[in-house]
Amino acid sequence: MVSASSGRWVPLAAVLVVVWLVAFLRALTRIFALNFSTAGPNATGLLALLLVTGWTIPVAARLAGRPRVWHATVLLVVAGLLGSVVAETLVALTGALVSLTAATPLLVALVGRLQERFAFAAATGLVGYQLLRAVLDTAPPYATLLGRVALIALGLAVVAGWWLGSREGLPTGDGEHGTLAVPGGATAVAFLFAQVGFLGLAPRVALWSGRPYLLTLAAAVAGFVGGALLVARRGGPGRAATVAASVVLVGSLAALLSVAGPGIAMLPAALATVLLVARGSRPGTTGPRRVGAVVAGVQVVGLVLVTGIVFAMNWAFVPGGRLLRGRAPVVVLLLGVLLSAIVLVRELRPDRADAAPTRPTGTTDTAARTGTVSGGRRSLLSAAGGGLLAMASAGYHGTRPTDGTAAAEPLTALSFNIHLYLDSDGEHNLGAVRDLIRESGAGVIGLQETAGGRLTSGGLDGVRWLAHELGYYAAVGPPTRLASYGVALLSAWPIREERVVVLPERDSATRIALAATVESPLGPLPVVVTHLETAGDVRVAQAERVVDLVRATGDPDRALVLGDLNATPDERPYEVFSTVLDDPWAGSGPGADTYSAADPRRRIDYALVGRGWEARRGEVVGSPTVSDHLGVSVTVRPDGE
């Protein structure tokens, strides 16, 4: 049974789970920026090996009896977390790596201290993380000013949690190596990889197949709170229940990855992960070296799987990427299998030194098994309350359009490739894109490279964030599972008749067109937003398909096409569009070039208009601090007015 004093460590364990998720995603986005945002794949990708931190466990075991060492470890966790916020890529990466490295032995020690009740703390931490992301409207904490303030609060929470727990002594316990010799650390690490890869990011699950975010979030919170409730009141599951939880996890995860729907499978999936980590964290002893080696092994496998997800989503631009095309769901599923496998392997081959839980004299096995964490009832109420706050915040941050935010006449439309929410240096550009749209005065905005839920953008729903900030309506396409770069439409006025079409391709990344009708003050306005392939004759077939969509609107003379066409005016795709659309920028000089933002020499971004409009050139807007493209706008009014 976990002693009452062990409950003092629950808050720190919960906060460390949040820190681990934040720091890991930050490290991942920084490594991606070094390899893709500013250059192609390069040697800096090897820095990912520093995410394998299991080596710290035997080192910490040698120093376990020294309070100053543990105090310094906590300070490194906090300092690294705060350092990861810095915009400079290598500094931010270093901070995230320091935080993760210092957190590893601390987390393993807490698993040994709390045993199966670590699952309660982990579930509470996951609810807190969902609340944090909901308050930030799905944005990663390091992407906005409010998020950076939240990270400071998170660092203070780590210090407070350490102070609360350490009043009873160090978390390493008794014995030669104490809690660092308990094998549950591998289970905890596998659990964290399952969460950071998919289940811990409700926006990522929602966007994977176009599920409603609020319902997905509610299912996730219910699952984590339910798991925490079971563990706190009844302890970890037995062997049969553990096997059942493994089946439920894999089945639910498969459903989330392959079946469209409201995302209710998040509930059993989240609950199953909590039960599995409770079983895997039960008492037992082994050598710190062995624990460190197993933790490092789990980290290597988890890192390979997470890298596989990233490569599968960017298969067209990574070495050997074609082998992973369409394999992202399988790789995500393997993260769930990893957690189940770690727990089940221990069931089949238990540690020789597995110890039965100690219990005070006069207690029964049942009493020992069902003993609650100190303050468990209050903590459960806090977790449930946090979940309700997360859902309330998500509902509040939903798109709340305000008609008339843009001038009714003339109407300005803007086309802008926003580079998957990253600027030219790989830093998040949400605020900069929002400000640029506001300053442009555009009432209709076609965005490219908007695919949400990617790990490399921190798992955010950027279109939702922008729509809420601007008070605009939004149409999004397509689901993240298609591994498309994504397109979206924002409008100051209602949007209807949305339609997403996959364009022709030839062994290239999936390209999309989104057609919709905007109920503008100038009447129904057909709009098509698109993003063509970077090169090749396939762009002609894609352009022809988009033109077909324009004609299918029934009113091509009133249509707008906003897109990154990846073709200059002297190329064949441009000629295809010219058969039904006019280009207000035709014949313009170098000032119309849109790529790259740092040194514009090519005109590949367009705002094309139907021939029933009187159109004039708008502006070329943006800078490298916003995106790697410049945006282009056009202003229209009915012809003859």
Side-chain angles (χ1 to χ4, degrees), residues 233-618:
R233 306 306 300 178
R234 301 183 61 84
R239 179 169 293 184
T242 299
V243 174
S246 297
V247 173
V248 168
L249 171 59
V250 175
S252 300
L253 191 51
L256 287 168
L257 292 167
S258 60
V259 180
I264 193 64
M266 271 292 286
L267 194 160
L271 190 150
T273 61
V274 177
L275 296 182
L276 286 172
V277 79
R279 181 67 179 179
S281 301
R282 71 189 191 280
T285 58
T286 187
R289 289 186 179 180
R290 182 178 175 184
V291 173
V294 175
V295 167
V298 172
Q299 289 174 325
V300 169
V301 175
L303 185 59
V304 168
L305 292 176
V306 169
T307 303
I309 296 171
V310 174
F311 277 27
M313 298 301 293
N314 299 275
W315 65 270
F317 303 100
V318 298
R322 285 178 174 80
L323 297 175
L324 289 170
R325 184 180 187 183
R327 300 289 191 272
V330 176
V331 184
V332 173
L333 184 62
L334 288 175
L335 279 172
V337 172
L338 175 64
L339 173 58
S340 297
I342 291 297
V343 178
L344 293 177
V345 164
R346 191 175 173 201
E347 293 296 320
L348 296 173
R349 300 179 61 184
D351 184 26
R352 294 177 182 177
D354 269 6
T358 59
R359 62 181 185 270
T361 303
T363 61
T364 64
D365 286 339
T366 302
R369 183 174 179 74
T370 59
T372 60
V373 178
S374 175
R377 181 171 298 179
R378 290 190 300 272
S379 299
L380 280 172
L381 290 174
S382 298
L388 291 174
L389 284 173
M391 287 179 278
S393 180
Y396 170 77
H397 284 300
T399 303
R400 296 180 291 114
T402 303
D403 291 348
T405 54
E409 188 178 357
L411 185 151
T412 298
L414 172 71
S415 178
F416 195 19
N417 182 318
I418 59 175
H419 197 219
L420 291 170
Y421 311 108
L422 303 172
D423 63 20
S424 295
D425 293 326
E427 194 60 43
H428 275 82
N429 63 358
L430 289 171
V433 171
R434 173 201 59 202
D435 294 343
L436 181 146
I437 292 174
R438 279 178 177 166
E439 292 169 5
S440 74
V444 176
I445 303 98
L447 300 175
Q448 301 86 41
E449 296 198 17
T450 59
R454 289 175 178 246
L455 292 178
T456 48
S457 60
L460 82 155
D461 186 344
V463 175
R464 175 190 174 91
W465 191 93
L466 289 169
H468 175 261
E469 289 287 307
L470 295 165
Y472 276 20
Y473 295 85
V476 184
T480 307
R481 71 177 187 276
L482 292 184
S484 162
Y485 281 103
V487 295
L489 173 64
L490 298 177
S491 169
W493 307 284
I495 301 171
R496 60 178 177 83
E497 299 175 356
E498 302 169 30
R499 181 185 177 195
V500 176
V501 175
V502 177
L503 301 179
E505 61 179 76
R506 295 175 188 169
D507 199 26
S508 60
T510 303
R511 300 290 172 163
I512 300 294
L514 167 65
T517 300
V518 173
E519 296 290 353
S520 78
L522 301 181
L525 180 64
V527 181
V528 179
V529 186
T530 192
H531 186 189
L532 305 190
E533 182 54 68
T534 55
D537 293 339
V538 70
R539 293 173 300 166
V540 176
Q542 291 173 345
E544 291 171 344
R545 185 70 183 93
V546 174
V547 167
D548 288 342
L549 279 176
V550 172
R551 292 193 175 106
T553 63
D555 198 359
D557 286 345
R558 289 179 53 82
L560 299 179
V561 172
L562 308 172
D564 174 0
L565 306 184
N566 277 313
T568 56
D570 58 352
E571 294 185 86
R572 176 60 181 157
Y574 180 89
E575 295 177 6
V576 172
F577 284 107
S578 298
T579 60
V580 294
L581 300 163
D582 287 339
D583 177 9
W585 289 82
S588 59
D593 293 340
T594 60
Y595 188 81
S596 70
D599 184 19
R601 296 191 178 187
R602 298 178 65 212
R603 183 178 172 225
I604 60 176
D605 299 273
Y606 298 87
L608 305 176
V609 302
R611 289 171 178 155
W613 295 110
E614 177 185 321
R616 62 178 176 83
R617 299 172 188 169

Side-chain angles (χ1 to χ4, degrees), residues 132-187:
L132 176 62
R133 295 299 293 264
V135 168
L136 299 177
D137 206 9
T138 82
Y142 40 80
T144 65
L145 176 59
L146 178 60
R148 291 189 284 272
V149 172
L151 287 182
I152 295 175
L154 190 61
L156 294 175
V158 172
V159 174
W162 174 255
W163 173 81
L164 177 65
S166 62
R167 288 191 297 173
E168 300 295 332
L170 297 179
T172 48
D174 301 324
E176 182 182 358
H177 299 301
T179 56
L180 287 165
V182 177
T187 302

Side-chain angles (χ1 to χ4, degrees), residues 22-221:
V22 170
F24 187 91
L25 276 175
R26 183 59 163 167
L28 188 67
T29 58
R30 297 304 81 209
I31 293 170
F32 180 81
L34 287 171
N35 283 267
F36 294 100
S37 290
T38 57
N42 56 65
T44 60
L46 295 175
L47 292 172
L49 295 176
L50 296 178
L51 291 166
V52 180
T53 58
W55 60 269
T56 60
I57 296 169
V59 173
R62 289 180 173 271
L63 306 171
R66 304 180 185 180
R68 289 183 179 179
V69 171
W70 290 100
H71 296 331
T73 299
V74 172
L75 291 178
L76 283 175
V77 170
V78 176
L81 176 68
L82 299 181
S84 71
V85 180
V86 177
E88 208 286 317
T89 303
L90 283 174
V91 175
L93 175 59
T94 301
L97 291 172
V98 167
S99 188
L100 288 167
T101 301
T104 298
L106 192 53
L107 269 171
V108 172
L110 289 171
V111 173
R113 183 77 174 186
L114 295 171
Q115 300 170 10
E116 62 187 16
R117 298 304 196 269
F118 176 79
F120 171 88
T124 304
L126 260 297
V127 172
Y129 186 62
Q130 302 289 359
L131 171 60
L132 176 62
R133 295 299 293 264
V135 168
L136 299 177
D137 206 9
T138 82
Y142 40 80
T144 65
L145 176 59
L146 178 60
R148 291 189 284 272
V149 172
L151 287 182
I152 295 175
L154 190 61
L156 294 175
V158 172
V159 174
W162 174 255
W163 173 81
L164 177 65
S166 62
R167 288 191 297 173
E168 300 295 332
L170 297 179
T172 48
D174 301 324
E176 182 182 358
H177 299 301
T179 56
L180 287 165
V182 177
T187 302
V189 171
F191 169 81
L192 290 170
F193 270 103
Q195 303 307 327
V196 78
F198 198 72
L199 293 173
L201 292 167
R204 176 162 163 72
V205 178
L207 290 166
W208 183 264
S209 58
R211 294 178 172 90
Y213 169 56
L214 187 58
L215 291 177
T216 304
L217 175 63
V221 168

